[in-house]
Amino acid sequence: MQGIGVDIIDLERLDINKIHFIKRILTEKEYEVFLKIDSQRRKLEFLGGRFAGKEAYMKAKHVGLGSIDFHDIEILNHSDGSPYLNDNNAHISISHENKYAIAFVVIEK
């Protein structure tokens, strides 16, 4: 194993009406998925999960937050709904509960 990272975010801190912020966090493909989500609650969970996932990834890579652009990290979903990163050596799990989203990343050699 090369690294592990975890991050948690309070969903109430996010504003899904601030398009500039959302586009700073999400890649084009992630943003397309975000726009198709009907529920405001689900949009918050999606955005929070991606934000936490990207920060957890940076921690697992042992780099400072902000040293990798959010657009260089992409989190999409397999057909079964489970998330995956655009790094073949990384594994991610995202969970939501009430007002929190949490992500855990493991990077293998």
Side-chain angles (χ1 to χ4, degrees):
M1 179 171 46
Q2 180 181 343
I4 59 170
V6 66
D7 195 68
I8 187 170
I9 186 163
D10 182 343
L11 298 175
E12 292 178 359
R13 291 181 47 213
L14 301 175
D15 184 350
I16 58 171
N17 296 311
K18 293 193 176 188
I19 302 303
H20 176 74
F21 171 74
I22 294 167
K23 286 187 171 184
R24 204 179 97 226
I25 302 304
L26 302 179
T27 66
E28 286 184 35
K29 287 181 184 177
E30 291 168 332
Y31 187 65
E32 288 174 18
V33 174
F34 176 83
L35 291 177
K36 293 177 185 175
I37 300 170
D38 292 332
S39 159
Q40 299 285 31
R41 178 72 186 163
R42 183 67 193 108
K43 280 186 173 187
L44 268 177
E45 291 173 346
F46 181 87
L47 180 62
R50 269 45 189 186
F51 187 87
K54 293 176 183 203
E55 290 210 349
Y57 179 79
M58 288 183 230
K59 291 173 183 178
K61 290 287 281 185
H62 303 287
V63 296
L65 298 179
S67 63
I68 300 174
D69 189 273
F70 280 113
H71 288 156
D72 292 332
I73 308 164
E74 188 167 64
I75 305 167
L76 297 173
N77 295 84
H78 293 288
S79 59
D80 67 359
S82 63
Y84 67 91
L85 284 152
N86 61 333
D87 178 338
N88 291 332
N89 295 319
H91 308 280
I92 185 168
S93 181
I94 299 173
S95 190
H96 316 95
E97 178 65 30
N98 294 321
K99 65 179 197 158
Y100 297 101
I102 189 168
F104 187 79
V105 173
V106 174
I107 299 178
E108 298 179 290
K109 288 185 180 185

